[in-house]
Amino acid sequence: MRHTISLTVENKFGVLARVAGLFSGRGYNIESLSVAETLDPSVSKMTIVTNGEDKIIEQIIKQLNKLINTIKVVDLTVTGHVEREMVLIKVSASGENRTEVLRLVDIFRGKIVDVSPDTFVIELTGDEEKIGAVLNLLKPLGVKDIVRTGKVAMQRSIQHNSIDNK
Amino acid sequence: MKMNGAKIFVESLKKEGVDTIFGYPGGVVLYIYDELYHSDIKHILVRHEQGAAHMADGYARVTGKVGVALVTSGPGATNTVTGLATAYMDSIPIVVFTGQVPTNLVGNDAFQEADIVGITRSCTKHNFLIKNVKDIAKTIKEAFYIARTGRPGPVVVDIPKDVTMDSAEFSYPDDIELPGYKPTYEGHTNQIKRSIDMILASKKPVIYTGGGIISSGASKELFAFAELLKAPVTNTLMGLGGFPGEHPLFLGMLGMHGTYAANMAVTHTDMLVAIGARFDDRVTGDISEFAPEAKIVHIDIDPTSISKNVEVDIPIVGNAKSILAEMNKLLKQDKRLKGFVRESEDWKTLINQWKESHPLTYKETGKLKPQFVIERIYELTKGNAIITTEVGQNQMWTAQFYKFGKPRTFVTSGGLGTMGYGFPAAIGAKVAMPEATVIDIAGDGSIQMNIQELATAVQYKVNVVVAILNNNYLGMVRQWQSLFYGKRYSHTDMSHKPDFVKLADAYGAKGYAVEKKNDVLPVLKEALKSKLPVLIDFRVEEEEDVYPMVPSGASLKKMLLA
């Protein structure tokens, strides 16, 4: 099963290598990883998406906790959370396609961030489902390249009445 | 007071109570060595940096203190990697200081540069690169703290040359700031209570303990625990010495070369109490058939050890000593205890039958037997010596035939299985405890892997005794080839080697060769009186095998007995 793990670490050089080494040394897989400073510049937050059986995930979480530089590990999969990913999509857009692409971008609340005579670069933010849906619709029109940031995720403050506005 | 980095380094070590460094100088650590020139910290000049790491490790194992090694950059640093991995696998607290090229050259493929922080990331508990002289004191404080607390382990501190040259104000911090490092010591009260209920409801208990008993100093508590429950105890290789080897409740070691009684007991137990042990593959054999009928309580300071290999019923994370003390307190007040002891009598009768029907033994032939030599060493030292081993048959026979009575007397590379470990570890142990009798039980293969340290031992008059069980083979590998590879002894013939007596002589040590049984005791006695290091070349039976043996990956009950 896929898990999204939020990892709070000391912002020191080498920490990313320790985390990555922990996965590679044990043959665990990282699907995506994003990392950046938090409000406190001495602390960074990582969002790691990984997959494995429950027993593997339990080991991953314990091993992450064991790293000296790890401050906190939360498996967001088992708590209420919001997650987002940003993607840049370079898509063929000439002739009739151009309006079709623009319409799709509009529907999914994306942005055109670069234009050339026969391509657009689209910026789009959303959860995995939404990004998957957009890509599926754009593929027949000719997707030339994509770059994804990897998922970022945050625990919800109020578990019940929150609205996930995709 | 303002001082240079090298001086801060030495002052910080003093603050940590370091009395001995095992080291080897080189270009980038010259400022530090210049400072050591005036210092009263004892420095042991090794002959190879691997020796320094193993000596620091041996020092740590017998004292419980943090062992310290100091080496130069590049090859000096990479030579310690095997020593670090050895200490990491066995949870031994050492700090290895490595010199590094000046900060402006780091990453430039400079002369004698190696990314030792990168190289050792996966075989240390933690490591540091110091980039500023102001961080030296704080980093050393953290390094020692990390090495000795929680589940202990090795720490590398990499110090570029310019950092040792720069100056800063020296003040040694009182507090540690490690927001992400808070080891759990106290066991969960409810889990402890539940485990008592579970144990007292069982009829066939076995206590299975490992190195955690030794590192937490829990031998007394374990003794009381076993005596209260009147429950049999088996040790892992790392756990030997944690429970008296001659005690009637002791089953001996379990696992691949464990005793018949220990392996049968864990196979048939209904209640396995695992303390400071990690269900290593050499212990469990086929994991699906390990303790198949048992409920399992697992006490360990490292949460990652729990439910890693075997699913357990009650995990208790914490320090073995304090958890056992708490359990003993509860047991003493528990009215169910008497009934429990009575109910488990049949189980102990069965265990005693196993012990009697299949004791550890060997066949007498005309030739000198390696087991015989170890029995004589035991007889002569009455179990009071510090025994180190190399790896292979010598190690397994020692574990079987030397009845360790006290913790921190058995020094062996358990997890990594490092040949060449025992001799430098013996030197480190003897330097730490000059009054103790220290004997390295070696093989003719292993001893050649760090034989150069004989010069170190002679230089510092470290009178350790090396008992080489010389069978002209890499014995354990030959045994596998004999049993599983149709006796095709591919490259395990070790008959081409130096004359150990002459070699000892060449180094300025004392050498003996022994072929007859009757000479074993007299030579050992003489060796133990020697002021010089001694090599004894015991020419033992060449094709002797270690039994019992559980073939790799087989169930523990499938022991080969002879």
Side-chain angles (χ1 to χ4, degrees):
Chain A
M1 188 189 156
R2 292 177 84 197
H3 285 249
T4 304
I5 295 167
S6 173
L7 185 65
T8 312
V9 296
E10 289 182 84
N11 185 7
K12 288 184 173 167
F13 62 87
V15 175
L16 178 60
R18 288 181 207 281
V19 171
L22 183 160
F23 278 79
S24 64
R26 291 177 176 76
Y28 305 149
N29 185 34
I30 296 179
E31 279 190 19
S32 78
L33 184 149
S34 76
V35 51
E37 214 173 89
T38 61
L39 281 177
D40 175 354
S42 72
V43 172
S44 292
K45 204 150 220 180
M46 295 188 191
T47 307
I48 301 171
V49 180
T50 181
N51 60 55
E53 300 161 29
D54 290 353
K55 205 177 151 181
I56 303 280
I57 298 293
E58 184 188 330
Q59 263 298 314
I60 289 175
I61 289 169
K62 283 175 171 178
Q63 294 285 355
L64 286 170
N65 258 313
K66 191 174 168 178
L67 293 176
I68 305 286
N69 300 124
T70 298
I71 298 167
K72 196 176 175 193
V73 187
V74 181
D75 184 358
L76 292 175
T77 318
V78 297
T79 69
H81 68 285
V82 278
E83 51 185 58
R84 290 291 182 273
E85 188 176 4
M86 194 184 87
V87 61
L88 294 175
I89 309 164
K90 187 178 280 176
V91 62
S92 308
S94 48
E96 291 166 25
N97 266 359
R98 286 180 92 83
T99 45
E100 178 63 12
V101 170
L102 285 174
R103 206 163 58 217
L104 281 170
V105 169
D106 192 41
I107 291 168
F108 285 93
R109 273 168 283 162
K111 262 192 268 175
I112 306 288
V113 290
D114 185 60
V115 183
S116 79
D118 49 6
T119 60
F120 284 141
V121 175
I122 304 164
E123 174 200 315
L124 193 88
T125 305
D127 64 6
E128 212 177 347
E129 225 171 81
K130 174 175 164 184
I131 289 172
V134 174
L135 285 173
N136 275 339
L137 289 164
L138 288 174
K139 266 179 195 160
L141 304 173
V143 173
K144 287 173 167 289
D145 198 7
I146 62 166
V147 183
R148 303 170 75 145
T149 57
K151 207 186 269 183
V152 292
M154 190 180 262
Q155 215 165 346
R156 288 185 190 280
S157 314
I158 307 157
Q159 299 261 346
H160 299 293
N161 302 318
S162 58
I163 299 157
D164 189 352
N165 187 0
K166 288 170 189 172
Chain B
M1 210 172 92
K2 216 165 177 165
M3 50 181 87
N4 76 4
K7 177 115 177 115
I8 292 175
F9 173 86
V10 172
E11 291 304 315
S12 301
L13 291 194
K14 283 190 197 157
K15 291 278 185 189
E16 287 297 328
V18 174
D19 52 23
T20 309
I21 296 174
F22 302 94
Y24 205 99
V28 298
V29 284
L30 281 175
Y31 284 98
I32 290 174
Y33 270 85
D34 195 41
E35 217 35 70
L36 286 173
Y37 191 70
H38 316 286
S39 165
D40 46 14
I41 295 179
K42 189 197 290 173
H43 180 276
I44 304 285
L45 175 65
V46 299
R47 295 303 187 269
H48 185 293
E49 290 89 348
Q50 185 185 350
H54 290 328
M55 285 179 207
D57 172 311
Y59 176 101
R61 289 192 204 221
V62 298
T63 60
K65 294 197 286 183
V66 179
V68 179
L70 168 64
V71 300
T72 193
S73 62
T78 55
N79 277 344
T80 67
V81 169
T82 303
L84 288 163
T86 304
Y88 186 58
M89 286 287 263
D90 290 346
S91 310
I92 305 304
I94 62 172
V95 176
V96 174
F97 293 98
T98 55
Q100 184 54 278
V101 300
T103 42
N104 65 325
L105 290 179
V106 170
N108 278 16
D109 296 338
F111 176 66
Q112 291 195 329
E113 181 184 359
D115 171 18
I116 200 63
V117 168
I119 290 168
T120 61
R121 201 172 282 129
S122 59
C123 63
T124 53
K125 184 171 171 186
H126 197 62
N127 57 20
F128 296 93
L129 167 63
I130 302 181
K131 285 172 136 181
N132 190 314
V133 63
K134 288 179 192 147
D135 295 331
I136 292 180
K138 170 177 162 285
T139 307
I140 290 177
K141 174 105 184 170
E142 288 176 0
F144 278 80
Y145 179 75
I146 290 168
R148 71 170 174 262
T149 54
R151 178 178 180 176
V155 176
V156 163
V157 181
D158 198 25
I159 313 177
K161 184 174 189 176
D162 55 325
V163 173
T164 65
M165 196 177 71
D166 294 346
S167 292
E169 203 63 41
F170 174 65
S171 76
Y172 205 62
D174 295 321
D175 299 316
I176 301 275
E177 281 173 61
L178 291 166
Y181 180 66
K182 307 250 176 333
T184 308
Y185 286 97
E186 297 305 317
H188 194 284
T189 317
N190 255 346
Q191 300 287 78
I192 292 175
K193 281 189 186 145
R194 279 181 56 215
S195 70
I196 297 280
D197 292 343
M198 188 179 272
I199 292 165
L200 292 179
S202 72
K203 291 199 168 55
K204 299 190 282 182
V206 170
I207 303 167
Y208 145 61
T209 71
I213 295 290
I214 315 286
S215 55
S216 70
S219 304
K220 274 191 192 141
E221 288 76 9
L222 172 63
F223 188 85
F225 183 65
E227 286 270 332
L228 278 167
L229 292 169
K230 300 270 179 279
V233 178
T234 178
N235 286 163
T236 67
L237 182 68
M238 293 306 300
L240 290 173
F243 192 77
E246 298 275 22
H247 195 285
L249 287 171
F250 191 56
L251 300 173
M253 182 172 73
L254 80 165
M256 182 173 276
H257 293 293
T259 65
Y260 182 80
N263 285 345
M264 291 304 276
V266 291
T267 303
H268 294 281
T269 178
D270 65 352
M271 179 72 246
L272 190 68
V273 186
I275 312 167
R278 59 187 173 86
F279 298 85
D280 168 83
D281 56 282
R282 284 292 190 267
V283 159
T284 63
D286 181 353
I287 202 106
S288 65
E289 292 192 44
F290 180 75
E293 299 157 27
K295 293 246 194 296
I296 302 178
V297 170
H298 189 185
I299 301 169
D300 205 290
I301 197 155
D302 180 359
T304 66
S305 285
I306 290 175
S307 292
K308 181 176 67 181
N309 298 331
V310 171
E311 285 301 322
V312 303
D313 297 281
I314 304 181
I316 308 176
V317 175
N319 171 278
K321 187 184 174 79
S322 61
I323 291 169
L324 277 174
E326 183 63 26
M327 289 172 97
N328 290 341
K329 211 167 81 187
L330 292 173
L331 278 175
K332 276 180 200 156
Q333 305 159 351
D334 203 303
K335 292 201 177 73
R336 295 169 293 179
L337 183 61
K338 259 192 178 166
F340 165 81
V341 172
R342 203 171 46 235
E343 290 280 305
S344 58
E345 278 309 318
D346 289 351
W347 169 238
K348 274 165 286 176
T349 310
L350 181 60
I351 284 176
N352 283 332
Q353 283 168 7
W354 286 330
K355 277 188 182 176
E356 279 160 30
S357 66
H358 297 86
L360 287 168
T361 184
Y362 57 94
K363 284 196 198 81
E364 289 286 359
T365 58
K367 289 190 181 162
L368 182 59
K369 291 285 178 166
Q371 301 94 328
F372 176 87
V373 174
I374 294 167
E375 284 177 335
R376 298 294 80 72
I377 292 173
Y378 178 60
E379 187 183 309
L380 199 60
T381 57
K382 300 179 183 69
N384 284 323
I386 291 168
I387 304 291
T388 75
T389 74
E390 305 295 335
V391 169
Q393 291 184 319
N394 59 79
Q395 180 184 36
M396 291 298 113
W397 282 320
T398 304
Q400 292 179 335
F401 289 91
Y402 196 96
K403 311 295 175 195
F404 292 92
K406 284 185 284 190
R408 301 200 179 280
T409 56
F410 183 40
V411 177
T412 195
S413 168
L416 196 68
T418 308
M419 287 173 72
Y421 167 81
F423 182 40
I427 296 172
K430 181 81 181 174
V431 166
M433 299 189 138
E435 302 305 315
T437 299
V438 181
I439 303 172
D440 171 31
I441 298 177
D444 47 316
S446 290
I447 192 60
Q448 295 186 69
M449 282 206 181
N450 271 317
I451 192 72
Q452 77 286 345
E453 298 309 328
L454 206 42
T456 311
V458 171
Q459 180 185 347
Y460 297 96
K461 300 184 177 60
V462 185
N463 51 337
V464 296
V465 175
V466 183
I468 305 170
L469 306 175
N470 180 355
N471 56 12
N472 285 325
Y473 281 110
L474 294 176
M476 187 58 93
V477 183
R478 185 209 52 77
Q479 176 171 342
W480 284 51
Q481 289 172 335
S482 159
L483 292 170
F484 313 118
Y485 296 88
K487 285 208 169 199
R488 292 178 297 278
Y489 294 166
S490 181
H491 306 284
T492 41
D493 185 327
M494 266 277 145
S495 50
H496 192 88
K497 68 185 142 226
D499 177 327
F500 288 118
V501 177
K502 281 189 192 160
L503 186 73
D505 191 48
Y507 273 105
K510 190 97 186 78
Y512 298 90
V514 177
E515 286 184 34
K516 293 198 206 89
K517 277 168 79 169
N518 287 343
D519 293 337
V520 173
L521 263 182
V523 169
L524 278 172
K525 278 184 188 158
E526 216 177 299
L528 291 182
K529 278 186 226 143
S530 168
K531 299 277 178 234
L532 290 169
V534 179
L535 285 189
I536 313 174
D537 179 2
F538 290 105
R539 310 270 173 80
V540 299
E541 176 93 81
E542 293 198 345
E543 298 202 19
E544 185 73 12
D545 288 340
V546 182
Y547 290 111
M549 178 178 190
V550 178
S552 183
S555 149
L556 283 193
K557 60 186 181 222
K558 293 187 183 138
M559 276 170 279
L560 308 174
L561 292 165

